Amino acid sequence: MSGGLPGAVEEEPTVYEKTLFAGWGDMDFNAHMRNTAFLDKSGDVRMMFFSDRGFPAAEFARLGIGPVVMKDEIEYSRELGLLEEFRVTLATAGLADDGSRFLFRNEFLRLDGTLCARVTSAGGWLDLGRRKLTVPPAALLEALRSLPRTDGFEVLPSSIR
């Protein structure tokens, strides 16, 4: 417990997830979802999260900032086939105290809960005018902190020098 009322129970952040499906354009030569489709859908779910928390694309444009991914890692467990529905979750695997750097984790699950893939993306916030990493506004940092944390969550160093 941290700084709350005596005896108060802190609520765990709720899982953010979306149900999607594997479309024709998501398929590879072997008739299962291609690697770049996992990356595309991870980005879509992240942007849906930001939009749901008051940061649609237009707000990022107004602020002159945007998320920038510097590294993606995909781990595969099971295939997803054409028109198969699946759930994609979003959590933080790491975050700098000032929010300037993040590790997002997306998990792709069949509707029965079977893990199909895990995408971990490392990035930060780009000031679009200066073309340098920056600290997100307080409301965006609050949104980031509202995500559940993965096992092994790590506090990242700031990108601001």
Side-chain angles (χ1 to χ4, degrees):
M1 204 178 316
S2 61
L5 297 173
V9 176
E10 289 187 18
E11 288 186 35
E12 288 293 317
T14 57
V15 173
Y16 186 83
E17 71 174 48
K18 293 293 180 181
T19 300
L20 306 174
F21 69 94
W24 179 260
D26 297 326
M27 296 296 103
D28 68 8
F29 182 78
N30 297 317
H32 59 266
M33 203 157 98
R34 61 186 164 77
N35 61 339
T36 55
F38 285 100
L39 297 177
D40 290 341
K41 291 187 185 300
S42 292
D44 289 345
V45 170
R46 287 192 296 264
M47 295 312 294
M48 289 176 203
F49 169 77
F50 295 137
S51 183
D52 288 348
R53 297 303 187 278
F55 289 89
E59 181 62 7
F60 282 118
R62 186 187 74 74
L63 293 168
I65 65 168
V68 59
V69 172
M70 296 172 228
K71 177 181 167 185
D72 288 306
E73 179 180 79
I74 308 174
E75 302 169 75
Y76 302 100
S77 299
R78 300 283 182 266
E79 296 177 351
L80 286 169
L82 181 62
L83 300 182
E84 188 171 349
E85 279 190 287
F86 55 90
R87 297 185 344 251
V88 183
T89 64
L90 176 62
T92 53
L95 187 65
D97 285 337
D98 63 6
S100 64
R101 292 181 62 206
F102 55 75
L103 281 175
F104 288 133
R105 170 89 33 87
N106 294 98
E107 290 191 337
F108 289 71
L109 306 148
R110 289 199 174 121
L111 297 184
D112 69 3
T114 302
L115 178 67
C116 296
R118 181 177 290 129
V119 175
T120 304
S121 301
W125 299 98
L126 185 65
D127 179 313
L128 298 172
R130 295 182 357 192
R131 308 308 289 177
K132 294 192 181 292
L133 292 176
T134 190
V135 173
L140 181 53
L141 180 55
E142 183 180 324
L144 295 171
R145 290 178 175 159
S146 77
L147 282 167
R149 293 179 171 189
T150 63
D151 290 339
F153 173 90
E154 57 185 292
V155 176
L156 303 175
S158 174
S159 291
I160 308 308
R161 291 181 173 42

